[in-house]
């Protein structure tokens, strides 16, 4: 149980116990309370209760009764509403914007697919695979590329650097560590019969 929930339940239980105790005391101590009532409050008969039907009727006839009941009801309603609103979880709107903003959330699989597509568009690249791993402060990009026959690794490395820079901007608050492996596709040897 988390602490705010435990505090709320404890306070609610204590308030309930206090109200129950006050009600039981008033129920049994009618005579002791009569001496401390306000002067305008009608005194109950010796064998009666604090608020009987006649006492309530005389209270309703006073000028302050209706505004006091309405004010108390309004305050209780507003307190209950404030409590209910504070207990309702609020969904926050997710910001939208370019990938370079720090608050944009992007699914890693979508970013990995985009990086692979960008790498495949580079001239001389036959295949590309990508894997991105995130930690709290950094991101790791593992890029594996196969070049077409006749292309060397140095021919595609500059273009792969721009792909890595794009990923770095997409994951801006994190530091990006990139590991790129470039291998050449083997020439297909002609079969002679």
């Amino acid at each position: 149980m988390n602490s705010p929930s435990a505090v709320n339940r404890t306070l609610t239980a204590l308030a309930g116990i206090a109200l129950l105790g006050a009600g039981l005391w008033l129920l049994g101590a009618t005579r002791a309370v009569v001496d401390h009532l306000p002067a305008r409050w009608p005194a109950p008969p010796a064998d009666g209760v604090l608020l009987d039907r006649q006492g309530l009727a005389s209270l309703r006839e006073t000028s302050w009764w209706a505004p006091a009941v309405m004010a108390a009801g309004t305050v209780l309603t507003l307190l209950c509403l404030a409590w209910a609103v504070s207990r309702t979880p609020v969904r926050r709107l997710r910001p939208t914007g370019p990938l370079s903003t720090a608050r944009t959330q992007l699914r890693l699989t979508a970013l990995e697919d985009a990086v692979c597509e960008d790498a495949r568009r580079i001239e001389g690249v036959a295949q590309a695979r990508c894997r991105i791993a995130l930690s709290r402060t950094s991101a790791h990009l593992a890029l594996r590329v196969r070049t077409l026959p006749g292309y060397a690794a140095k021919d595609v490395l500059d273009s792969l650097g721009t792909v890595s820079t794009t990923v770095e901007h997409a994951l801006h608050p994190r530091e990006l560590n990139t590991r790129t492996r470039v291998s050449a596709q083997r020439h297909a040897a002609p079969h002679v019969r």
Side-chain angles (χ1 to χ4, degrees):
M1 184 184 327
N2 57 9
S3 61
S5 177
V7 170
N8 286 343
R9 290 180 183 173
T10 304
L11 289 177
T12 303
L14 290 175
I17 290 169
L19 288 173
L20 180 66
L24 289 174
W25 180 77
L26 280 174
L27 190 66
T30 301
R31 293 288 87 194
V33 175
V34 169
D35 299 333
H36 301 292
L37 288 175
R40 287 184 263 166
W41 198 291
D47 60 343
V49 292
L50 269 178
L51 286 176
D52 58 356
R53 289 181 189 257
Q54 292 174 350
L56 281 175
S58 68
L59 277 177
R60 287 184 189 137
E61 291 173 1
T62 61
S63 62
W64 58 267
W65 178 258
V69 168
M70 292 194 53
T74 303
V75 167
L76 283 174
T77 302
L78 290 175
L79 285 174
C80 289
L81 261 169
W83 178 80
V85 167
S86 70
R87 302 299 299 163
T88 305
V90 177
R91 287 187 177 182
R92 297 174 191 222
L93 295 175
R94 291 187 179 172
T96 57
L99 290 178
S100 62
T101 61
R103 296 175 54 186
T104 303
Q105 292 185 356
L106 180 68
R107 292 186 181 203
L108 285 181
T109 54
L111 184 59
E112 288 172 350
D113 292 343
V115 170
C116 287
E117 283 295 319
D118 287 349
R120 284 187 205 114
R121 287 189 194 125
I122 296 172
E123 184 181 349
V125 173
Q127 296 175 347
R129 287 188 305 178
C130 166
R131 182 80 178 142
I132 299 174
L134 296 178
S135 66
R136 285 184 185 246
T137 59
S138 64
H140 302 281
L141 169 65
L143 188 60
R144 173 122 171 110
V145 175
R146 286 186 184 261
T147 60
L148 291 170
Y151 286 91
K154 64 180 178 177
D155 298 334
V156 295
L157 278 178
D158 289 337
S159 300
L160 288 175
T162 60
V163 171
S164 176
T165 305
T166 304
V167 175
E168 187 174 5
H169 287 297
L171 302 172
H172 173 62
R174 292 182 171 96
E175 179 184 336
L176 181 67
N177 301 318
T178 305
R179 188 183 77 206
T180 305
R181 293 179 68 187
V182 179
S183 59
Q185 207 174 28
R186 296 180 184 216
H187 292 281
H191 292 283
V192 179
R193 292 187 185 210

